[in-house]
Amino acid sequence: KKEAALKKAEEKKKAEAKKKAADDKKKAEAKKKVAAEKKKKEAERKKKLAEEKKRKAAAEKKRKTEAERKRKEGEMKKQMEAKARAARASQAMSKYVPRIQQKVEGNWAYPPRGPEGCNPTVRVSLAPDGKVLKAKIVKSSGDPYCDSSVEKAFLKASPIPIPLDPELYSEFRTIDFPFR
């Protein structure tokens, strides 16, 4: 009886050890499964973050490209406006230079040697209404009497004819006028 009881107890121990080993194996497999699931979720999270980062980078690149395009368009528009303004100013200048020359010559007292060789360049500062604020020789003719008489002629001719367009005034504010 004792032997049978010992055998039974030993079998029971073996069965319990077997059961414990199976439980340990199940627990280890469950841990592996949880770890694998955790790893899978982390990989998915990283993948989503990488995709979001790529999407944001693409959106930022697109935004920068659009901003650069708009900046270039703005520059081109400004250049075209400046060219158009310069063309208008050039056209106005060619129209008004003879008028200015005529008005100044009407107020010019010839130097003692006469008008020959009297060809200085005068920098004339004008008010918006054409009033001469300042006349200064920037390139002398070589004859101080001639230079002085031309400066005085510009001051006497005030106001000189200039366009009334305020946009063109900036072109006529200061004129380097080659007096001939």
Side-chain angles (χ1 to χ4, degrees), residues 84-102:
R85 189 172 38 254
R88 283 183 44 218
S90 176
Q91 185 179 17
M93 194 64 86
S94 66
K95 181 179 176 183
Y96 281 89
V97 165
R99 292 180 186 176
I100 295 170
Q101 180 82 25
Q102 187 178 17

Side-chain angles (χ1 to χ4, degrees), residues 71-89 167:
R71 184 189 65 77
K72 285 183 180 178
E73 280 179 0
E75 283 178 7
M76 188 180 273
K77 186 177 178 183
K78 283 181 184 177
Q79 287 176 352
M80 289 173 61
E81 287 172 354
K83 283 182 181 178
R85 189 172 38 254
R88 283 183 44 218
E167 287 184 19

Side-chain angles (χ1 to χ4, degrees), residues 136-176:
K136 181 181 178 186
I137 301 295
V138 289
K139 183 180 175 195
S140 175
S141 65
D143 181 353
Y145 295 110
C146 167
D147 294 349
S148 174
S149 69
V150 171
E151 279 182 352
K152 288 176 186 172
F154 270 96
L155 293 170
K156 283 182 185 176
S158 185
I160 59 174
I162 62 169
L164 297 176
D165 186 350
E167 287 184 19
L168 292 176
Y169 171 66
S170 64
E171 301 297 323
F172 282 85
R173 181 178 300 155
T174 302
I175 304 173
D176 281 356

Side-chain angles (χ1 to χ4, degrees), residues 4-20:
L6 276 172
K7 208 176 186 183
K8 212 178 191 182
E10 207 175 284
E11 282 177 13
K12 195 176 180 183
K13 267 187 178 179
K14 279 184 183 179
E16 283 178 8
K18 225 180 190 183
K19 190 178 178 185
K20 188 179 179 192

